[in-house]
């Protein structure tokens, strides 16, 4: 298959069409060859009483023309299973009612002019064994008797010769069709069986190896989608575990301080100090709950002016004293979840302002996609930590938890953009700074 990638179809529909076409071509080729190889050299003798009449006339003429001394030998030579010639009167028999075949033979011989009705005697006799009656024909003048079996003349040899090509071709068609059908079913269902087995094993192993993507295009897409679903579920389980660990670790610090304040008393146990720790704990819990709620909420998509949204966000941050610049078109329509996308971009801008003093937002288009760059002048992120920075509950500085943050800003933005069928990538800027690059489709609805 690898040598002929263009000739072998990729889809199930294309493969089935090709298999049927190949099957029909092979069948027609085999049928044509058999009809040519087994064609008769002359037309077959038709079946029925007419065939017997021709044989009887030929035998009578041969015996009439032969000398008397050799007629007996000639009669034996030209006799067969269906017609027997005897020189002399017919042997005795049990006469029965004359049947229509005997009458037909007598009438046809007289009609063809070889003998007269008075010169030909005909009668039907009971068969010697179980079967059809026997016609006895006798020519007294020539002393010739003919015994004709009234069994239908099928000419089995001719029938086999003519029906063998059709029989062989039908058997060939059935064999080829069944073989190709079973092979195609096995070839198509094998990846599906692997997916079913993997899905069953997924209930016991939350992080199995991805399935190889083999088979037709539809099966490849199904396998790819299953692998993605499997990876998302595994990542979700990992996120939940990391969330519990992070919340437990972060809550332990303010809880320890509260216990110490209660034990020490005095100024350390003042309402303001204890309220600070409680507020910090509440902020942590609210952040975790908001992240979980963000994973399940599905906002309705609508067409918005993406350029106006970015300009409004930049203006809001400028009003409160931050330095932020917008560069791009004045109008660009995009179908998205407005509130969710606004939050994702706000998180990225806040992240840039948190570690830098100036942020620039750039909007441009490329084909049917909107490209947004959010750049800051901060210290950036070490190259080996760029991939981990988007993970939930991941902090570049694990010791920095005094502000109540759980490391969810970038992960929330990444989840929202992924839900919009977009991509978020982070890269460092030389000599310093970080760039968050967003690619969004303009005309497609986001996935829920």
């Amino acid at each position: 298959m690898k040598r002929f990638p263009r000739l072998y179809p990729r889809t199930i529909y294309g493969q089935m069409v090709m298999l049927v076409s190949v099957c029909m071509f092979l069948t027609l080729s085999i049928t044509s060859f058999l009809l040519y190889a087994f064609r008769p050299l002359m037309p077959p003798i038709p079946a029925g009483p007419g065939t017997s009449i021709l044989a009887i006339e030929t035998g009578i003429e041969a015996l009439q023309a032969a000398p008397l001394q050799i007629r007996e030998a000639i009669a034996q030579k030209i006799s067969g299973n269906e017609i027997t010639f005897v020189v002399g009167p017919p042997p005795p028999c049990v006469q029965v009612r004359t049947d229509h075949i005997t009458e037909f033979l007598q009438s046809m011989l007289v009609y063809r002019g070889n003998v007269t009705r008075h010169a030909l005697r005909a009668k039907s006799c009971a068969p010697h064994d179980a079967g059809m009656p026997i016609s006895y024909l006798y020519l007294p003048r020539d002393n010739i008797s003919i015994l004709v079996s009234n069994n239908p003349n099928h000419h089995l040899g001719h029938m086999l010769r003519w029906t063998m090509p059709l029989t062989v071709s039908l058997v060939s068609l059935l064999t080829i069709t069944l073989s190709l059908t079973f092979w195609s079913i096995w070839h198509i269902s094998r990846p599906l069986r692997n997916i079913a087995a993997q899905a069953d094993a997924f209930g016991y192993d939350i992080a199995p190896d991805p399935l190889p993507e083999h088979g037709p295009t539809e099966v490849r897409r199904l396998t790819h989608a299953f692998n993605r679903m499997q990876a998302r579920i595994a990542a979700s389980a990992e996120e939940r575990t990391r969330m519990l660990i992070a919340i437990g670790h972060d809550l332990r610090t303010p809880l320890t301080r509260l216990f110490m304040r209660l034990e020490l008393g005095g100024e350390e146990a003042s309402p303001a100090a204890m309220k600070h720790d409680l507020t910090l704990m509440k902020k942590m819990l609210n952040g975790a709950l908001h992240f979980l709620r963000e994973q399940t909420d599905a906002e309705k998509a609508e067409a918005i002016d993406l350029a106006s949204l970015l300009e409004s966000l930049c203006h809001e941050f400028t009003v409160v004293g931050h330095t932020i610049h917008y560069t791009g078109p004045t109008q660009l329509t995009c179908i998205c979840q407005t509130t969710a996308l606004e939050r994702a971009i706000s998180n990225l801008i806040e992240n840039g302002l948190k570690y830098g003093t100036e942020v620039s937002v750039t909007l441009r288009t490329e084909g049917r996609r909107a490209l947004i760059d959010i750049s800051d002048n901060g210290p950036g992120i070490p190259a080996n930590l760029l991939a981990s920075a988007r993970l939930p509950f991941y902090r570049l500085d694990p010791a920095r938890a005094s502000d109540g943050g759980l490391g969810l800003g970038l992960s929330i933005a990444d989840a929202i953009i992924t839900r919009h069928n977009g991509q978020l990538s982070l890269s460092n800027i030389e000599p310093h700074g970080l760039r968050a690059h967003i690619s969004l489709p303009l005309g497609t609805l986001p996935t829920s």
Side-chain angles (χ1 to χ4, degrees):
M1 302 302 176
K2 296 182 178 179
R3 296 182 180 179
F4 308 99
R6 296 182 180 179
L7 299 179
Y8 188 74
R10 293 287 185 180
T11 63
I12 295 177
Y13 173 77
Q15 291 182 11
M16 295 304 296
V17 170
M18 187 198 71
L19 291 174
V20 173
S21 301
V22 170
C23 175
M24 296 304 298
F25 175 77
L26 291 176
T27 302
L28 292 175
S29 301
I30 293 174
T31 304
S32 301
F33 170 76
L34 292 174
L35 289 175
Y36 176 79
F38 290 93
R39 70 193 190 283
L41 299 178
M42 61 183 64
I45 300 175
T51 306
S52 300
I53 292 171
L54 294 175
I56 293 171
E57 286 182 343
T58 304
I60 291 174
E61 292 176 355
L63 291 175
Q64 288 176 341
L68 295 176
Q69 61 270 21
I70 62 173
R71 283 186 180 182
E72 186 67 32
I74 294 176
Q76 294 179 0
K77 292 289 185 181
I78 62 176
S79 297
N81 294 329
E82 299 176 0
I83 303 176
T84 303
F85 291 91
V86 178
V87 177
C93 71
V94 179
Q95 188 172 353
V96 297
R97 182 179 178 182
T98 304
D99 63 8
H100 66 283
I101 295 181
T102 302
E103 294 177 349
F104 177 79
L105 292 174
Q106 183 182 19
S107 299
M108 288 300 296
L109 289 173
V110 173
Y111 174 77
R112 295 172 70 86
N114 291 335
V115 294
T116 62
R117 181 170 294 273
H118 300 287
L120 176 63
R121 300 175 185 176
K123 64 180 178 178
S124 296
C125 297
H128 301 294
D129 299 320
M132 299 292 291
I134 300 175
S135 298
Y136 275 47
L137 306 176
Y138 178 55
L139 284 74
R141 188 179 63 182
D142 298 309
N143 198 24
I144 299 174
S145 300
I146 305 101
L147 284 70
V148 182
S149 175
N150 291 348
N151 292 319
N153 187 358
H154 294 295
H155 291 277
L156 185 60
H158 291 294
M159 293 178 64
L160 291 177
R161 192 176 188 87
W162 272 99
T163 57
M164 184 164 33
L166 180 60
T167 303
V168 174
S169 63
L170 291 177
V171 172
S172 302
L173 173 61
L174 181 63
T175 303
I176 296 173
T177 303
L178 290 178
S179 301
L180 293 179
T181 300
F182 290 148
W183 177 85
S184 61
I185 292 174
W186 173 84
H187 178 69
I188 293 171
S189 63
R190 182 180 59 173
L192 298 179
R193 290 196 301 270
N194 294 337
I195 294 175
Q198 187 82 344
D200 183 66
F202 188 58
Y204 306 96
D205 184 8
I206 195 63
D209 296 330
L211 286 171
E213 299 180 8
H214 297 316
T217 301
E218 294 87 348
V219 177
R220 287 174 179 265
R221 291 176 180 173
L222 176 61
T223 305
H224 180 70
F226 179 83
N227 288 335
R228 288 185 59 190
M229 178 198 69
Q230 186 174 265
R232 287 197 299 268
I233 294 176
S236 178
E238 185 180 356
E239 288 176 5
R240 299 299 186 272
T241 303
R242 189 163 47 246
M243 178 191 69
L244 293 175
I245 294 175
I247 292 176
H249 177 272
D250 293 340
L251 288 178
R252 185 171 56 185
T253 301
L255 281 173
T256 303
R257 285 203 302 264
L258 282 174
F259 277 112
M260 291 181 63
R261 293 182 195 279
L262 292 174
E263 290 288 338
L264 295 175
E267 293 183 359
E268 293 296 330
S270 64
M274 297 180 68
K275 183 178 180 180
H276 175 269
D277 288 336
L278 291 173
T279 302
L280 185 61
M281 294 170 61
K282 181 180 179 181
K283 186 177 180 180
M284 291 178 180
L285 291 174
N286 287 339
L289 293 174
H290 191 82
F291 173 76
L292 294 176
R293 188 166 53 249
E294 188 69 36
Q295 305 301 309
T296 57
D297 286 349
E299 179 187 352
K300 184 178 181 180
E302 58 183 353
I304 66 165
D305 187 350
L306 184 59
S308 297
L309 176 65
L310 295 178
E311 285 184 312
S312 299
L313 287 174
C314 292
H315 178 71
E316 291 175 3
F317 281 99
T318 302
V319 168
V320 295
H322 294 294
T323 303
I324 183 168
H325 309 284
Y326 169 76
T327 304
T330 58
Q331 185 177 4
L332 180 62
T333 302
C334 178
I335 299 177
C336 64
Q337 296 172 344
T338 308
T339 304
L341 184 61
E342 184 176 355
R343 185 181 182 207
I345 297 174
S346 296
N347 285 353
L348 295 174
I349 294 176
E350 289 176 356
N351 189 73
L353 292 173
K354 182 177 181 180
Y355 296 101
T357 58
E358 185 177 343
V359 173
S360 62
V361 180
T362 304
L363 173 64
R364 68 183 189 278
T365 59
E366 185 177 287
R368 293 296 301 164
R369 301 187 74 86
L371 305 180
I372 305 172
D373 288 328
I374 302 174
S375 307
D376 62 59
N377 59 351
I381 299 176
N384 61 330
L385 298 179
L386 284 173
S388 301
R390 291 180 295 173
L391 295 176
F393 310 101
Y394 182 87
R395 296 192 187 90
L396 298 177
D397 183 7
R400 184 181 297 178
S402 59
D403 59 351
L406 293 175
L408 295 175
L410 287 177
S411 61
I412 290 176
D414 183 59
I416 292 173
I417 293 170
T418 301
R419 197 163 68 238
H420 282 73
N421 291 332
Q423 294 89 34
L424 171 64
S425 60
L426 302 177
S427 60
N428 289 310
I429 304 173
E430 296 297 337
H432 54 77
L434 181 71
R435 176 185 294 111
H437 177 75
I438 302 173
S439 175
L440 288 175
L442 291 174
T444 58
L445 290 173
T447 57
S448 56

